[in-house]
Amino acid sequence: MNAPRLSQLTTTAVGGPAEKVVEATTEAELVDAVSHADDAGERVLIVGGGSNILASDQPFAGTVVHVATRGITVTDEDGSADRDSETALVDVAAGEPWEDTVRETVQRGLAGLETLAGIPGTTGATPVQNVGAYGAEVSQCIVRVRVWDREARKELTFGFADLEFSYRDSLLKRSMTHGSPRYVVLSVTFRLRRQEQSMPVRYAQLAAALGVETGQSAPLATVRDTVLRLRASKGMVLDPEDRDTFSTGSFFTNPVVPEDELTDRIPADAPRYPVLDATGQEVPGAVKFSAAWLIDHAGFGKGFGLPGTRNELLDLDGGEVAGGRAALSGKHTLAMTNRGTASGEDVAAVASTVQRGVEQVFGVRLAPEPVLIGLSL
């Protein structure tokens, strides 16, 4: 019998055979699967939606735990189902698909997550990476996260401050070892506002698409629908019929550069954005740049990696990088895509070529967003 492959569990559709795959549909099953593997001294890989993993096609020697828990509970601040308060607590199981969480909260008239629509993966993965889009980060709504501590062998609850959020980072992420977490997320609790209008729209492109000024609001459902349309236009919504969407989404984080380290290698017209802390307040002394802009202006156009593509600035033949099996998306230069027969190594080769090229041109080393399993750049 053929061993299940990680390619069947990841949105890039790459990854080799796994020694063992266990699906956990309840918290008890999740804790039991992880504990059993730990007791046996096995390597453990936690997989939710598989959107933040790029895995080698070599065999994975260990246990893959597929988190498939479900459940969304909405209560008042005191734990009751009363709807009179201005805010609500939304407790979500780790395996709940993130888009289902966003859709459910929008339909219930709860504001806070609407601009994060369309991000692939599960709810339990969102605090690990502190996912964000269109001027918002999930940390701005998180109250607490319940986890299983594999070292202490007990359940813990982390409050907002305990999670030490920063841009695309958290205590949960920093506790990982070779892609395996110390803290396995069981559920996430959000505090959202009961209102039919969105939170103020901070991102200029989204505001323009909505026909409002930056800082204004729009109906929740309209904001979610607009975000989904914008993401789809960039190939950032997985479509089984479109190989140009088989990716981890944004492969690189937007680089944050301390102001005292800025050089003239980054041109003055490069888009610059404020760096925000976990509460949405601006952090002084640092500037965030667009990774997509840097990639494009380092000569890597959309589709680089396909036969016939070139980076003229660096004199690189795209088709030679991975034989055309992996390439930048034809819709957005931040996505590394599997064109149909790519291996994890092929996708990593394209990403590594881009990373080296951007550093060569601008002196900025882009950091990968997905967890790399058996691979490095």
Side-chain angles (χ1 to χ4, degrees), residues 20 22 28-44 63 65 148 150 153:
K20 184 191 303 182
V22 179
E29 290 177 353
L30 176 53
V31 171
D32 183 67
V34 172
S35 298
H36 183 78
D38 285 341
D39 289 341
E42 298 170 351
R43 188 179 176 191
V44 176
T63 295
V65 180
W148 173 254
R150 292 169 60 196
R153 297 297 184 97

Side-chain angles (χ1 to χ4, degrees), residues 269-288:
D269 63 347
R272 301 168 186 233
Y273 305 97
V275 179
L276 305 180
D277 65 18
T279 65
Q281 300 302 306
E282 188 170 338
V283 177
V287 178
K288 182 165 64 176

Side-chain angles (χ1 to χ4, degrees), residues 9 23 30 37 49 60 64 76 167 171 254 266 326-327 329 335 349 377:
L9 299 173
E23 183 174 79
L30 176 53
F60 179 80
V64 176
D76 201 352
Y167 174 64
L171 170 71
N254 291 323
I266 302 178
S329 167
L377 300 188

Side-chain angles (χ1 to χ4, degrees), residues 336-349:
M336 312 290 147
T337 62
N338 172 4
R339 310 309 293 191
T341 60
S343 65
E345 285 74 6
D346 289 332
V347 179

